Structure formats: structure tokens, C-alpha cells
Amino acid sequence: MQVFTNIPAAEETAAIRAEQVRSLYANTPTAVVGNALVALILSAMQWSIVAPSAVIAWLILLMVALVARMLLFVAHRRAAQGNDSVWLQRFRISIAAIGLVWGLASLLMFPSHDLTHQVFLTFALGGMTSAAITTLSSDRMSLLAFSLPALATVIVRLLLEGTEIQTTMSAMIALFLLLTDMVAQRTYRTLCENVILRISVARREQELRSLVDSSPDNIIRYGLDCRAVYVNRMMEQTVDVKSESLIGKTPMESRFDGCIGVENYQAKLERVIATGEPGHVEVMVLSPDGDQRIHHVRFVAERGSDGEIIGAFAFGRDISEQKQAYEAVRRSETKFHTLYDMTGDAIMLLDEKGLFDCNKSALTVFGCATPGEFYSKYPADLSPPEQACGTDSVMLAARRIVTAIEKGTHQFEWMHKRADTGESFPADVLLSAMELDGKTVLQAVVRDISGRKQAEADLRIAAIALESLEAIAITDANQVILKVNQAFTRITGYTAEEAVGQTPGRLLKSGRQDARFYRSMWESLSRNKCWQGEILNRRKNGEVYPQWLSIIAATIEGKQVTHYVATFSDISQKKQAEETIHNLAFYDPLTNLPNRRLMQDRLQQALASSARSHNHGAILFIDLDNFKELNDTKGHHIGDLLLVEIAARMLACLRENDTVSRLGGDEFLVILCELSAVAEEAAVQAEAVAEKIRAAINQPFDLQGHEYHSSSSIGISLFLNHELTVDELLKRSDTAMYQAKRSGRNAIRFFDPATHAAMEARIALEAELRRALPENQFKLYYQMQVNNLGAVFGAEALLRWLHPERGMVSPAQFIPLAEDTGLIVPIGLWVLETACRQLKAWESDPGLSCLHLAVNVSACQFHQADFVDQVSTLLTEIAIDPDKLKLELTETLVLGDIDDTIFKMQALKKIGVRFSIDDFGTGYSSLAYLTQLPLDQLKIDQSFVRNVAVKPTDAVIVQTIIGMATNLGIEVIAEGVETEEQRTFLESNGCFTYQGFLFGKPVPVEEFESALNVKIAAKLST
């Protein structure tokens, strides 16, 4: 029994007091009857020895005290729940009164010089005290209140008698009083421990029930008769039925409107209870809003501590969306195959062996009757020996394939050949490289462009024979229009009849360009006999438009001008395209804010301005908090609305010469120019603007009727002159922004060099960690695992990084980094393979062949889709006994995806691999998953083992874990055992396997084998 050194908490103290009061009052009737009987017997025995009046007086006093105690008992029974402290005090007073009356017996009925009756009186008082120990030991004060007055007087009277035997009797009674007090203290501690244990059990049960009730799955627990004994809240919400309506009924008895498949549900349930094998079924359930929902239900048998089936659990989940998604994918595949076969282009797939798939158009284009005939052709069979350029088709095709693989896609023209007639035809080919079933294949889309080539030839002829598509106007030497083409009419709106006889200046001039422009144009014409450039002219409808105009002067022998030939084209669309391209290149299309490219240009200008004026500037890196959640819950269109609104609010917070830009996603950058020349004042000014922006973003947004509250994290970096480059400034502000994020978001932070240095150090360590595995810097250390007899039965493989410059890098430093970067997956595979090969090496040594090896597996590695295959392959290739390999998983890993965990553990369990839960008790220890997982071992975390001798709560936790594991039939091992006192405690409580510095530190395999051989030799010598 543990001794409690801490005062119980208020809740536990109240519970202990309530238990005291209940126990004390419950024993009252028995105690009163016993007191009365003993008093009557004592009075009868002393009647003839002492004065009868004294006996009668004492007996009356005792009966009054006993009646008062009974009245107090009746009042307590009838009273409503009240203050236990008050009832306890009342009880103590009544007991003290009775003790005083019994003490009076030694005064009134003590026969002087009559040893026999003195002994009888002493025996009666001792007996009453012994009875009090039974009924009052739960409250030390009550026991002492009775015992001290009852026995103190007789002790004094015996001492006054003065004889040796009477003095000895008084000493024995005093010793009896002392033992009584010790019994009371021990009983009180036992009471406290029992009450606290009940409170702990009740809390655990409540936590377990809360966990089940908060589960997103529908959970029902059934008895052997298929009647529900528990229903969680999610089930009530799913079917809109109170649990009381379902408990005590079979699925058929509790079926509700709209539920389809209950018969099959009950049949599956009965089969699971009968066989113990898991089962599953799908049912249709009518949701509270009237929709038919598909639920997948999984049945798992529940077994008692003896392994017998005592019922079953049903876990249900709504899979309607999954079903709909599957159907959508199926429809999409059908549509794709339809389009694949209906398209007019030939589509084919080929790999290093040749053609292996095609659509119907491919058969038509290449003149093949069946797919089999097409697949029998080599690609070279579908091309002429040489291409139009004269290059060998096979060689040129090889180059095209290499280009497609390197770039991903490659489009080109190619001469193909029909398989049936041998006729060649030109084709436009789009060659794309892709991954299919783990290998690179090529998809070729072939379009017969024979018609297009013919059309191009016809167009070339038409362009020569007919007029140009550009507008053409021919004037005489006086600029009077003589002839125009159709393009002139289309562009200007003037017909040939309207234009002929007019001058271009009078007909088309927009008035947007001054006389100097036209003078320069005619001077160039006079000097060079040609001019070209951009000009603004006016259409017939009055619209001014830009055109590209070329004028050539036709002369006689290069001297006298006879005609002018003007060709022009409408470049309105080109201008619009240029403006659009400019906007796309420099502005964010959603918010119309400058994008990253324009921002960098503006920042360069701000740096130059700061160098000229010697004033500080600042950049504010702004990131919206929890923006992804808005996109995920409301959709990207709502997220876009928020970004537009925030851009407008930030613009309203800035001066005209400041810049706000959108870097992408939910990140913005503000450039503040012309701040104070004093750094402190500039910082205050920048912080004021940042606070203004933060406050504006904190105001609620109305996003299509949805009120949304946003916040931002802002990082600030000041600049002066060209002390820092643009990239360094951006990196500093980004670092400051992440400082604001880590401080709790919705905050403003200036750049902190210390944080920046820490990030740089992490980046450097990550780069070195990526080289550690290829450069063989990792090594496995081994720590012994022993039983209570001291025999080594196995070891745990522990990863160590021996850095060539840093030396031994702590696992606490590089393991979390490896998990964050995903490097833990290849590292974990190396650890697993190295451990298996070590087991194989030990098989040839009789002293080591019996060893088991425990390997830690990270969550990232375990949840890889091919983890089971990796382990199975290693065991097969290395050819070791799977039973000697034990994978240690953490509680967080197990609970992260329980279904995936169970599936993989069961798959590995079938091939013989054993499992252990590492650091048990440090996470959210769920009793539910212990019964579902095929566990072989629980490992008690060293944080509990370390304090078992000094911290009662840790000792209780360790005892609980050992007891629970024993009852579940799971082996338990304690890690971190460093003292013999810890090992003795563990062994005395049922833990017989250990690991820790008491038995050996983690060491390289050579030292491990050497130490083990020493142990084996020592054992053989004894």
C-alpha cells in the first residue's frame, strides 16, 4: 500500500470525507446495541462490588448518550444531502460524550483492592475500544475521542493501586491506545487510497466515454443476443433517434423509416458474434434532412479477459460522398474512352517494344483493319525511308523521341505512310512522354494535314495572284486615291467608290497627331522614297484606331514620283494584346496590384531613393492567417473575394507614393518610402502603418452574405541606402513574418537576427542530413534487454549520426528534422535493413542466435503505402526468422489512422513480425485500441520508471499499466531502468523484462557482442 505524501485535491478531500461520514453513520445501530449490552453486563458484574447508586447513575448517563447517538443517526438518515463536515463534527461530539461516560465507569465502578473485578472492568473497557476500532477507524479523531477518555481513567486508577500487575496492566492499556492510533492512521490512508482510486477509475471511464461519443463514426455495442447495450452520440445524430429507443433492441426490432439492408446487417452481426471473424456491410439510412445516405458498417467481436466472445462492436461511417466520387470517376472514364475513340486524330501508345494501344482513328489513318494488325507494325513501318528534308526516318525519329522525353512534349511535322497502300502523307505529330505502370511510354497524336498542306499551297498562290490581305491604297503624285482593295474597305469602312478621288489626309486623318509628325513623315518619303510607322487614323464610323502604315513612292528612274503605294494593317488587337501582356507581366490579375516582378522593380527604385535622400524605408511582409481554411470550407471564389477586399483596404491605409503588391496566394508586400532618417523614428512610423493595416484586416468582411473575420501576421524590415540587396530584404521580412506567426498570429514583428540565424542553422543541418545516408554517416547502437533473472534476450536498435565534423549528433536534434523533411523514410528503411542483416549475422553464433531485435518505426515511414511490402521483401531477401524482429510504434502513430494501422499490423503479424507500443502512457492512452491491435508488448516510458520510488502517482501509473497489460495478455517491458530499487519495484509488481543503464548503455555492435559474451562466459563459469 502506497503512503500518500500529498494532500488530496479539493474534490478528493470531499469524497474522502463523504466516505468517512457514510461509514461512521452506517455502523451506528450495531455500535449502540453493542454498547448497551456490554454496559448491562458490566453493571450486573459490578452491582455487588460497588455502590448500586453509582452503577445506576452511570448506566443512566450511558443510555442517555446512546439515545442521543441514535437520534443523531436518525436525523442523518432523514436529512437531505448536506455538509459532510458538519455531520462529521456532530458525530465526533456524540462519540466523545459516550467515551467520557465509559471513562466515568473507572471512577464510579472501580473496586479498590479487588483485582478480579478490576480486570473485568479493564477487559470491558478494552473490548469496547476494540469494537470502536472496527466501527470508528475510518476517522482517527472519532476513535481517539472515544478511546482516550474511556481508557485514560482506568490507566490512572490502576497506577494508583500501585501493585506490579496493575502497573503492568496500565502500561499495556497505554500501549493498546498507541496501537489504536496507528490502526486509525493506516485505515484512514487505506480509505483515502480507495476513494482516490475510485475517482481515477470514474474519470478514466468518463474519458473513454467522451472519446467514443466524440468519434465521427457511428458506434454501437451489442451483447451476445444482438441487442444494443450502448449507442454513441454520432449514431443518435445520424438517425435522429434517441439512444434509449435503440438500447435493448436488436437491429430488426429498432429499424427505422427509410433504412434499407437491416436484414443483412443483423445477419452479419450474428455471424461475427458466432465466429469472432470481422465483417462489414453497407446499409441505406435516411438522414434527418430526408436524404438517403449510404453507410459502411464494420463489425468487430468483443472478447472478455478469458478470450471468449462477449458481444460485438459496430462502427459505421457515411460513405455517400465516396460512392458519388467513384461514380463520377467511372463516368469520366467512360466519357474519356468515348472521346478517345471518337476523335478524328490518330492516338497511339508505344514503348521500347513497339505499339501497344490505339484508337479507332489510328486504324483509319494508317489503313489497318484490326488493332492486332496495327500492333504488329514497327513504327518504322509507318514512315517512308526518308523524310521530306532528306534525313533518314529512323534516325530522325530517334532524335524526336529523345527531345519529347527530355521536354515532356514535342510537336513537329512528319511524313507517314499507310500500311495498306504504302501512300505517304504529311502529318502534324504531338509526341508526349508519360509514366504508365512505373515505366516511361510515349503517346503520339497524329493528325493528317494533307488537306491543310494543299490549302496552304492554294493560299500562297492566291496571295500572289490576288490582292494582299493587308489594306492597300494607291494614289497619284498628288495623293489622290486611285485604287483600294477589299482589305481597305474592311478596315476603314469606306468602299472603293467612296475612297477613290479622295485624299487619305482628308478621308482618314484622326487629328490626334500634329503637323510636325506629318512633316517628318513627308520629309522621310521625299528623302528615302519610303516610310513606315505607327499612325492613328479614323474609320468611317468615327472610331480612331492605330494602324501600321508603310508608304513606298513609285518613281521614274528614282527621281520623279508617279504614285504612292500605301499598305497598312489594323493593329488595335495587337495593341490590346500588348497592354494585356504588360498587365499580366507586371500586375496581379485578381487584385490589380503589382506582382512580384513589378514589386522588385519598385523596391529597387525605393532603395535608390533612400540612397539619394538618406531616409529610411521599410517593407512589410503580410500573410493572412488561416486563409487556407476559408478556401477549403467556402471555396476559392470566396477566398478570391477576400483577397480583393483586403487589397482595397490596404491601399486605403497607404500614401500615394507607397506600394502594395501581391506576391501570390495570401501573401502581400508593402513598400514604405521616405520614412524618417532616424532609425528609431522610422521603425515607429512603419509599425504605425502595419498596425493600421492589421486593424483594417481585423474588421469583418461581407463575402456574398457570409460574415468573415480575418487576421494577419506582419513582418517588418527597415532599409537604408543599398546596405541590403532586394533578396536579403525579402528574406528578412519573410523571417520576421514567421516570427509573428509563431508568436500566435495576428501580430507584428520586426526582423530578429537571432531567429534568422536559427533558421540558417536548421537549413545547414538539413543539407548535411541529406548527405548523411549516402555517405554512410549513420550507425546503429544496441542496448540490452534483460529479464528478471538477468538473462539477455534481446536488444533495441538505436540510430546514431556520427558526423565527420560535428561528431555525435543528438537524435533529439536530427530525428524531428528528418521527420519534417520526409528523410525519415529512406533512413528508417536503412535502419530496418541494417537491423535485419544484424539478426542474420547473429544466427551463426550460438550465443547470439536467440536474440530478438526491436526497431523503432516513425509514423511517416509506417503510413507509406508499400511499408508492408518493404518489410516482407527484406525478411524474404535476408532470410531471417520474422519472430525475432519487433517493430516499436508510438501511440500517436497508432491513433493517427487506426484503420490503416490495424490493416498493416495484421498483415505483418501474419508473417510473424511482433509489435510493441513504445513510450506507453505518455500520449493519449486509449484502452479501446489496445483490444483492437495485435500487440505483443507494451513499453513503459522511462519518465514513469524514473520516479517510481519517489513519486506515488508515477508508481500507481506503472502498477496500472502492468496490471492492464497482464490482464490483456500483453508482455510489458520497462525502459530507463537505472537503479536496483527501480528494478525491484517493477519485479514486485509483475514486470519481468527491463532495459536501461542498469544493464548497459547503447553501444556499437562490437561492444554489444563483447559485453554479451562476457555475460555468457560468467554464467557458464557459475
Side-chain angles (χ1 to χ4, degrees), residues 769 772-773 776-782 795-801 811 814-815 818 823-840 842 853-858 861 867 870-871 874-875 878 880 885-888:
L769 184 60
L773 188 59
N776 297 318
Q777 296 177 10
F778 289 122
K779 191 171 184 179
L780 286 188
Y781 276 40
Y782 300 85
E796 180 178 2
L798 299 168
L799 181 63
R800 295 293 183 266
W801 182 9
F814 74 85
I815 291 295
L823 292 173
I824 196 67
V825 175
I827 292 174
L829 183 58
W830 178 86
V831 170
L832 194 58
E833 181 178 355
T834 305
C836 290
R837 295 194 184 281
Q838 188 60 59
L839 282 172
K840 185 64 177 178
W842 284 342
L853 199 53
V855 179
N856 292 284
V857 178
S858 74
Q861 180 185 5
F867 178 73
Q870 288 179 354
V871 177
L874 281 176
L875 294 174
I878 302 175
I880 63 171
L885 177 64
K886 179 167 43 183
L887 302 183
E888 292 195 357

Side-chain angles (χ1 to χ4, degrees), residues 591-617:
T591 61
N592 289 325
L593 295 176
N595 61 10
R596 182 182 291 271
R597 179 182 295 177
L598 184 55
M599 175 275 297
Q600 290 178 328
D601 180 67
R602 297 264 181 99
L603 188 51
Q604 289 283 13
Q605 295 177 26
L607 290 171
S609 175
S610 175
R612 290 193 302 270
S613 65
H614 302 293
N615 287 333
H616 284 84

Side-chain angles (χ1 to χ4, degrees), residues 8 101 110 137 248 254 272 288 293 318 348 503 572 663 670 706 941 957 997:
V101 175
F110 187 87
S137 57
S254 60
V272 169
R293 310 292 293 178
D318 189 340
M348 64 197 79
T503 62
S572 301
L663 303 182
V670 173
H706 300 283
D941 186 64
I957 290 173
F997 283 9

Side-chain angles (χ1 to χ4, degrees), residues 553-572:
T555 62
I556 297 176
E557 297 180 355
K559 296 181 180 179
Q560 182 181 357
V561 175
T562 60
H563 296 85
Y564 292 102
V565 179
T567 60
F568 62 88
S569 59
D570 184 350
I571 59 172
S572 301

Side-chain angles (χ1 to χ4, degrees), residues 273-323:
I273 292 176
T275 64
E277 294 294 328
H280 61 88
V281 68
E282 289 184 3
V283 295
M284 297 286 292
V285 178
L286 189 66
S287 66
D289 57 7
D291 292 339
Q292 282 283 356
R293 310 292 293 178
I294 304 173
H295 284 252
H296 178 270
V297 182
R298 182 167 52 88
F299 297 104
V300 178
E302 180 186 7
R303 298 181 183 272
S305 59
D306 57 356
E308 294 296 323
I309 297 174
I310 61 173
F313 284 99
F315 302 90
R317 177 166 294 185
D318 189 340
I319 60 169
S320 304
E321 284 73 16
Q322 298 177 23
K323 287 285 188 178

Side-chain angles (χ1 to χ4, degrees), residues 193-211:
E193 291 173 354
N194 290 338
V195 171
I196 292 172
L197 182 59
R198 289 204 300 270
I199 291 173
S200 175
V201 171
R203 286 175 179 168
R204 291 292 178 89
E205 290 179 353
Q206 182 60 37
E207 290 172 358
L208 181 58
R209 182 171 292 273
S210 297
L211 176 65

